[in-house]
């Protein structure tokens, strides 16, 4: 029951009237689908509001307006807004317009103008047909909601394109760095590298030890991952964090980076074999760089100076540690004994046992060199440097 203070709610039109409305509205949508003047109006309004559209061929715009009109008619017929991920028209238009140099603002604005022209035409045709104004209102609401959803899909497509472009840019940069280090730049790339890097050096190539995933710290853009380690180059005043072990090649201009890279590879291979870590340079690694490249010599020295001692078991391992300390401390018995720590006489006894087991003399220069090489090839603490 209604009261003077509660007006009666509007009643739905009779079934026959509703069916007639639906038929007439379908006829309006059919007429809309054949109205070629919509494209002309959209292009005129769009170019007036967004001058960037002047560079887009009219044929491309006519095609896009046709897609938008079909989507609008589909929505008006069904009364349902499609979800953003199903509006392929927005993704296609975004790709096309971005490729033609338009901004995301231009793309969204252009669609809004397209929708506005369609909306005005629907309202005009609805009024001319004598339909209830509520029909035009519902149609306008649907089209505005479609505009919001379409814009959301444009934004999503734009983010996807940005991510894809960034991934492609990063991949191209990484391949360029790999070819630069390998000395495989094309003639065009070589010229571009000269324009980019000349005067910015000198540079040195870098090869890191195997790195954990995820990385503990971001790496410079001039380094790329390669089989679990980073390779690339740094300027003379750049260094990696102390938490990253790496080898650096010789310093020079950008065109000498292939040679620098080969040296860094050799240094890192030697460092990992002999047990070195941290920042590895040729000056620090010295003769040890030759250890990985001498398997026959390594095997001979191992049989001569390592195997006979390790045959003594745990005591043999202590002897080798003592010899490492002796060589690592510049042949100074007291300093070596303190580092172990043992009494100097204990160290002397172990040195004597080493000489007996290997039939060698620690007082001979060539023997010391061979023992140092053998210990380096064996890895671990044997990489200690002579002071």
């Amino acid at each position: 029951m209604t009261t003077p203070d509660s007006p009666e709610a509007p009643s739905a039109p009779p079934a026959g009237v509703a069916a007639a409305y639906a038929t007439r509205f379908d006829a309006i949508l059919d007429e809309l689908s054949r109205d070629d003047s919509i494209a002309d109006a959209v292009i005129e309004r769009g170019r007036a509001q967004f001058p960037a559209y002047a560079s887009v061929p009219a044929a491309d715009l006519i095609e896009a307006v046709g897609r938008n009109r079909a989507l609008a008619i589909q929505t008006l017929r069904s009364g349902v807004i499609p979800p953003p991920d199903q509006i392929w028209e927005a993704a296609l238009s975004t790709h096309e317009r971005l490729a033609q140099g338009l901004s995301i603002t231009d793309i969204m604005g252009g669609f809004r103008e397209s929708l506005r022209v369609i909306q005005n035409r629907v309202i005009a045709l609805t009024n001319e047909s004598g339909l209830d104004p509520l029909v035009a209102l519902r149609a306008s609401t649907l089209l505005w909601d479609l505009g919001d959803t379409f814009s959301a899909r444009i934004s999503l497509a734009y983010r996807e394109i940005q991510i894809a472009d960034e991934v492609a840019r990063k991949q191209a940069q990484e391949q360029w760095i790999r070819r630069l280090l390998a000395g495989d730049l094309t003639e065009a790339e070589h010229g571009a590298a000269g324009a980019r890097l000349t005067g910015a050096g000198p540079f040195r190539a870098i090869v890191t030890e195997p790195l954990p995933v995820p990385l503990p710290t971001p790496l410079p853009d001039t380094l790329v991952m390669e089989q679990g380690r980073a390779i690339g180059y740094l300027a003379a005043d750049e260094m990696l964090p102390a938490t990253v072990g790496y080898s650096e090649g010789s310093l020079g201009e950008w065109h000498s980076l292939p040679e620098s890279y080969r040296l860094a590879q050799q240094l890192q291979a030697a460092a990992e074999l002999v047990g070195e870590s941290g920042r590895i340079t040729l000056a620090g690694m010295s003769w040890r760089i030759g250890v990985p490249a001498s398997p026959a010599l390594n095997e001979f020295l191992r049989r001569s100076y390592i195997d006979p001692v390790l045959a003594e078991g745990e005591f043999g391992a202590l002897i080798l540690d003592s010899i490492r300390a002796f060589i690592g401390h510049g042949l100074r018995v007291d300093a070596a004994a303190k580092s172990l720590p043992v009494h100097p006489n204990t160290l002397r006894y172990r040195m004597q046992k080493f000489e007996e087991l290997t039939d060698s003399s620690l007082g001979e220069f060539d023997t010391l060199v061979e023992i140092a090489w053998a210990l380096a090839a064996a890895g671990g603490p044997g990489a200690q440097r002579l002071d």
Side-chain angles (χ1 to χ4, degrees):
M1 177 182 298
T2 60
T3 67
D5 295 328
S6 58
E8 184 174 357
S11 58
V17 174
Y21 279 3
T23 300
R24 288 155 66 185
F25 190 66
D26 282 342
I28 288 172
L29 297 181
D30 289 339
E31 181 177 348
L32 190 68
S33 67
R34 297 188 297 269
D35 189 350
D36 293 334
S37 67
I38 289 177
D40 295 334
V42 170
I43 294 173
E44 181 181 356
R45 289 176 60 109
R47 286 177 170 172
Q49 293 291 325
F50 303 96
Y53 276 95
S55 64
V56 180
D60 292 354
L61 295 177
I62 291 172
E63 183 179 352
V65 172
R67 295 195 301 261
N68 295 342
R69 178 175 58 181
L71 177 61
I73 291 173
Q74 171 193 333
T75 301
L76 291 173
R77 286 193 192 281
S78 66
V80 177
I81 306 297
D85 60 355
Q86 294 182 13
I87 303 181
W88 59 268
E89 299 87 347
L92 179 57
S93 293
T94 303
H95 280 270
E96 291 176 341
R97 299 295 89 82
L98 286 175
Q100 291 167 328
L102 274 67
S103 69
I104 187 66
T105 302
D106 292 331
I107 297 170
M108 286 187 174
F111 173 74
R112 288 290 185 182
E113 286 301 321
S114 176
L115 205 62
R116 187 173 288 109
V117 170
I118 296 172
Q119 182 185 38
N120 290 341
R121 195 61 52 88
V122 170
I123 293 173
L125 292 173
T126 301
N127 291 336
E128 291 172 7
S129 299
L131 292 177
D132 189 323
L134 288 177
V135 175
L137 177 60
R138 284 195 292 269
S140 295
T141 301
L142 271 174
L143 291 178
W144 280 118
D145 290 345
L146 175 63
D148 291 340
T149 306
F150 197 98
S151 296
R153 185 64 184 93
I154 289 175
S155 297
L156 177 59
Y158 182 60
R159 289 195 296 272
E160 291 170 346
I161 292 169
Q162 283 184 312
I163 292 172
D165 286 348
E166 177 60 23
V167 169
R169 185 203 66 78
K170 184 173 179 59
Q171 289 176 340
Q173 170 71 3
E174 290 177 351
Q175 288 302 319
W176 181 85
I177 291 174
R178 293 185 179 98
R179 292 199 299 273
L180 172 65
L181 296 177
D184 291 337
L185 293 182
T186 65
E187 184 176 349
E189 288 175 330
H190 196 275
R196 175 180 174 181
L197 299 177
T198 298
F203 303 99
R204 62 188 185 281
I206 298 295
V207 176
T208 74
E209 62 188 16
L211 298 175
V213 177
L215 296 176
T217 182
L219 296 176
D221 291 339
T222 55
L223 269 64
V224 299
M225 295 302 297
E226 183 75 13
Q227 297 182 341
R229 64 179 78 240
I231 64 172
Y233 63 93
L234 295 175
D237 58 349
E238 292 182 287
M239 292 180 60
L240 294 182
T243 55
V244 178
Y246 65 98
S247 294
E248 55 184 47
S250 52
L251 197 62
E253 294 304 317
W254 69 270
H255 47 74
S256 66
L257 279 171
E259 293 79 12
S260 179
Y261 176 54
R262 286 191 289 272
L263 175 58
Q265 288 179 304
Q266 293 171 343
L267 286 171
Q268 189 58 35
E272 292 175 16
L273 178 62
V274 305
E276 284 280 4
S277 61
R279 180 187 176 200
I280 307 300
T281 65
L282 181 58
M285 185 60 62
S286 186
W287 54 267
R288 293 168 182 80
I289 192 174
V291 173
S294 308
L297 176 59
N298 296 344
E299 176 63 17
F300 169 75
L301 296 177
R302 182 185 63 79
R303 292 197 306 267
S304 300
Y305 297 108
I306 304 298
D307 290 351
V309 181
L310 289 181
E312 299 296 309
E314 185 177 346
F315 180 57
L318 291 176
I319 291 175
L320 288 182
D321 287 343
S322 298
I323 301 303
R324 289 186 179 108
F326 175 65
I327 295 176
H329 286 82
L331 313 184
R332 297 191 297 271
V333 172
D334 289 344
K338 184 177 181 180
S339 71
L340 288 172
V342 296
H343 191 277
N345 288 340
T346 301
L347 176 58
R348 292 188 180 94
Y349 172 73
R350 293 177 183 177
M351 293 168 58
Q352 180 183 348
K353 291 298 295 182
F354 177 86
E355 291 176 327
E356 293 174 359
L357 292 169
T358 60
D359 192 23
S360 64
S361 171
L362 291 171
E364 295 181 2
F365 177 78
D366 285 350
T367 299
L368 286 171
V369 172
E370 290 178 345
I371 294 170
W373 188 290
L375 291 171
Q384 295 175 20
R385 298 185 179 88
L386 292 172
D387 292 339

